[in-house]
Amino acid sequence: MIRSLYYKFIFGYVVFGLFGFLFISTYTSDRAYGYLLQEKADLLYDEANQLAAHCSTLYSGRTASIDTVARQLSILSPSLRSEIWIVDRNGTITADPGGGRVGLTVDFDPTALGNRNYGIGNFYGTFPYDVLSVSAPITGNYTTYGYILIHMPISQIQASRDGLLNVVYITCGIIFLLSLIILLIFTQTVYFPLKKITAGANAYAAGNLDYQIKLSSHDEMGYLAETLNYMSDKLNQIEDYQKTFIANLSHDFRSPLTSIKGYLEAIIDGTIPPQMQEKYLTRVIAETERLNKLTQGMLTLNSLDSKGFLFRTNFDINRLIKDTAASFEGTCDQKNIAFELTFADSIQMVYGDFGKIQQVMYNLIDNAIKFSHNDSIIYIQASPKYEKIFVSIKDTGIGIPKDSLKKIWERFYKTDLSRGKDKKGTGLGLSIVKEIVQAHGENIDVISTEGVGTEFIFSLPRAVDL
């Protein structure tokens, strides 16, 4: 079962909102209640001490009377929304403005609060509900005459807490609704683009490499879409290349195999008389060599693709060029072709794989001879420039058409002009040349004019101290 990232995000968003609400309704509620309780207790305690200090004059024999103090308590009690009592040392209530509890005796123990300045409960059964109670002693002449008691219903503190939490709830609700903007942004910038990218990936997996992901954003999603589009284009090109590669390979193998099969069948059934069999067996051997050359070229390209195949050493490029050119002496004599070798110094040391560079020179010189006219000259030059040695092989042959210059490096590719002259070629020579040169970290270029000639130029690094 596919679980959408979008729905996971929404689920997480809702869970976050619920846990946030539970946190506010529990932890925040307890903290707010504790804070308000302590604040009210401190306020009432301060008021109780002030009243106790004022009442000290009553019990010190001064002018203040109990009626005067009772009137003051009746004025202060509504503003504090609390009941205020005066009790004597025996716990008898001597003043209770508006409460009607004068003369009532309660089992009051001022030491019961301990270190706290307040208590919570029904005050020894006096109230049918819980109250916050604070007390302050009335003293004078080093004697305690009674106590000021102030009682505030806990429901008032809870109501203040609830009012405060309501503001918090409303604020958090508004913030939660505003945070939906984040969800909308996520939907537009992540979810919808991701759906398009997923659809594209599924199309590529199904083999539809022509599918294009249409995404115009300039962020990571847009970059990913462009990368996938680029990948699909490259894969499409590779697929086309593979089809062409297989078609060319089949064609190049089929031709010599057909010839071999035909010659051998003709020899077996007697179509070719015994006195001519040697001639056709020679042709069979030639076609077999062609197949062997094609196979060796494929193996070479396979080893080049595997990387890490180079065995680099320092060697004299001049000597390599001379020896390679000398190996074509017989072929050059048949067409009356001469080499003109030009070297900047008598010895020019380069750093590379001797065998692979020799193969490069062999393929380039072989091509130059193959497409040169009779009685012509092939120019080979090696010259230093900065930290490199540049090697040039130039012929004055048929040249390469302009529209074929970029294709000559492709495997099995042959120009229309070369097909008549290169009947034994495999179309792999230049591909091998380019792979070898690039494996050395260097470049190879071609300059050609149809009907004038062709020049190949490649570079090699100068020798290094080993």
Side-chain angles (χ1 to χ4, degrees):
M1 179 180 179
I2 298 177
R3 298 182 179 181
S4 171
L5 178 64
Y6 184 64
Y7 293 118
K8 289 181 180 179
F9 185 83
I10 293 178
F11 177 75
Y13 183 78
V14 172
V15 169
F16 171 78
L18 290 176
F19 275 100
F21 176 78
L22 291 175
F23 177 80
I24 293 173
S25 61
T26 54
Y27 176 78
T28 306
S29 176
D30 292 341
R31 292 298 301 269
Y33 177 74
Y35 171 78
L36 291 174
L37 184 66
Q38 187 63 54
E39 184 184 40
K40 293 297 184 181
D42 292 342
L43 174 64
L44 296 181
Y45 185 73
D46 290 341
E47 291 292 341
N49 279 296
Q50 291 181 11
L51 288 173
H54 181 71
C55 290
S56 295
T57 59
L58 176 65
Y59 289 93
S60 299
R62 299 188 182 178
T63 57
S65 65
I66 190 66
D67 293 334
T68 302
V69 174
R71 284 195 299 270
Q72 292 176 350
L73 297 182
S74 63
I75 295 173
L76 184 60
S77 179
S79 63
L80 294 177
R81 292 187 295 178
S82 306
E83 292 192 25
I84 306 175
W85 300 346
I86 298 178
V87 299
D88 59 19
R89 287 183 298 180
N90 298 321
T92 302
I93 300 175
T94 59
D96 177 19
R101 292 186 177 86
V102 176
L104 179 66
T105 300
V106 294
D107 189 13
F108 172 60
D109 183 7
T111 63
L113 297 179
N115 295 328
R116 294 185 302 169
N117 60 355
Y118 67 90
I120 298 176
N122 57 11
F123 200 72
Y124 306 103
T126 307
F127 297 94
Y129 47 83
D130 287 341
V131 294
L132 170 66
S133 302
V134 298
S135 64
I138 300 172
T139 59
N141 298 323
Y142 305 102
T143 303
T144 299
Y145 299 105
Y147 298 91
I148 294 291
L149 298 176
I150 302 179
H151 308 287
M152 175 179 285
I154 291 296
S155 59
Q156 291 188 20
I157 300 176
Q158 293 173 340
S160 299
R161 178 202 61 188
D162 294 341
L164 179 62
L165 289 179
N166 287 337
V167 175
V168 175
Y169 291 150
I170 293 172
T171 303
C172 291
I174 294 174
I175 293 175
F176 184 77
L177 292 176
L178 290 177
S179 66
L180 289 174
I181 298 174
I182 299 176
L183 184 61
L184 294 175
I185 294 175
F186 173 81
T187 302
Q188 293 294 328
T189 60
V190 177
Y191 178 64
F192 287 154
L194 199 57
K195 284 191 67 177
K196 293 181 179 179
I197 292 173
T198 303
N202 290 331
Y204 301 150
N208 182 14
L209 296 177
D210 293 324
Y211 186 91
Q212 290 291 306
I213 302 174
K214 297 179 180 179
L215 201 61
S216 58
S217 60
H218 299 287
D219 52 14
E220 287 80 359
M221 287 295 178
Y223 177 76
L224 178 59
E226 291 179 1
T227 302
L228 290 176
N229 287 334
Y230 177 77
M231 180 195 70
S232 67
D233 291 339
K234 289 298 181 183
L235 289 175
N236 211 0
Q237 292 176 11
I238 292 174
E239 186 176 10
D240 293 340
Y241 169 77
Q242 287 176 340
K243 293 177 180 178
T244 303
F245 177 83
I246 293 173
N248 291 335
L249 184 62
S250 301
H251 176 268
D252 282 315
F253 269 94
R254 184 173 60 249
S255 297
L257 286 173
T258 301
S259 299
I260 293 172
K261 181 176 180 291
Y263 292 146
L264 292 178
E265 287 178 346
I267 291 173
I268 292 173
D269 62 20
T271 304
I272 298 176
Q275 62 272 19
M276 297 185 64
Q277 287 181 3
E278 183 177 355
K279 173 184 177 182
Y280 287 99
L281 286 175
T282 302
R283 291 184 181 179
V284 168
I285 292 174
E287 293 296 333
T288 305
E289 290 177 349
R290 179 182 174 190
L291 284 175
N292 183 61
K293 184 178 180 181
L294 182 61
T295 304
Q296 289 299 323
M298 293 299 301
L299 292 174
T300 300
L301 285 173
N302 184 60
S303 68
L304 294 176
D305 290 339
S306 66
K307 307 300 180 185
F309 62 94
L310 295 179
F311 300 96
R312 301 181 190 237
T313 57
N314 292 331
F315 61 89
D316 182 11
I317 188 65
N318 295 354
R319 173 52 55 189
L320 185 147
I321 292 173
K322 292 175 183 178
D323 293 343
T324 307
S327 66
F328 288 93
E329 182 178 355
T331 306
C332 291
D333 289 343
Q334 294 175 8
K335 300 181 68 173
N336 196 26
I337 294 176
F339 290 109
E340 184 176 304
L341 308 181
T342 305
F343 305 124
D345 296 306
S346 58
I347 296 177
Q348 297 185 103
M349 300 298 290
V350 296
Y351 180 63
D353 188 314
F354 180 88
K356 294 296 189 294
I357 298 303
Q358 188 177 45
Q359 190 174 5
V360 168
M361 290 301 306
Y362 184 92
N363 286 345
L364 292 178
I365 293 175
D366 183 54
N367 263 11
I369 295 173
K370 194 178 298 179
F371 300 113
S372 290
H373 304 296
N374 293 343
D375 304 318
S376 61
I377 298 176
I378 295 176
Y379 302 91
I380 303 178
Q381 181 179 3
S383 57
K385 188 174 183 181
Y386 303 112
E387 299 302 319
K388 298 183 184 295
I389 301 292
F390 288 84
V391 180
S392 166
I393 300 92
K394 181 178 181 181
D395 63 63
T396 55
I398 62 175
I400 303 172
K402 185 177 181 181
D403 58 354
S404 298
L405 281 176
K406 292 183 179 180
K407 300 178 181 179
I408 62 173
W409 309 110
E410 297 177 5
R411 300 177 185 184
F412 297 107
Y413 181 78
K414 295 181 181 180
T415 65
D416 293 335
L417 293 177
S418 70
R419 292 189 183 274
K421 292 179 174 289
D422 190 18
K423 294 186 182 295
K424 295 184 179 180
T426 63
L428 296 175
L430 291 179
S431 297
I432 294 173
V433 165
K434 186 171 183 179
E435 292 284 350
I436 292 175
V437 172
Q438 288 184 339
H440 282 77
E442 302 296 331
N443 295 311
I444 182 168
D445 296 315
V446 59
I447 303 170
S448 184
T449 303
E450 190 174 347
V452 176
T454 303
E455 180 181 12
F456 287 92
I457 305 171
F458 68 93
S459 60
L460 289 172
R462 288 197 181 193
V464 295
D465 296 331
L466 297 178

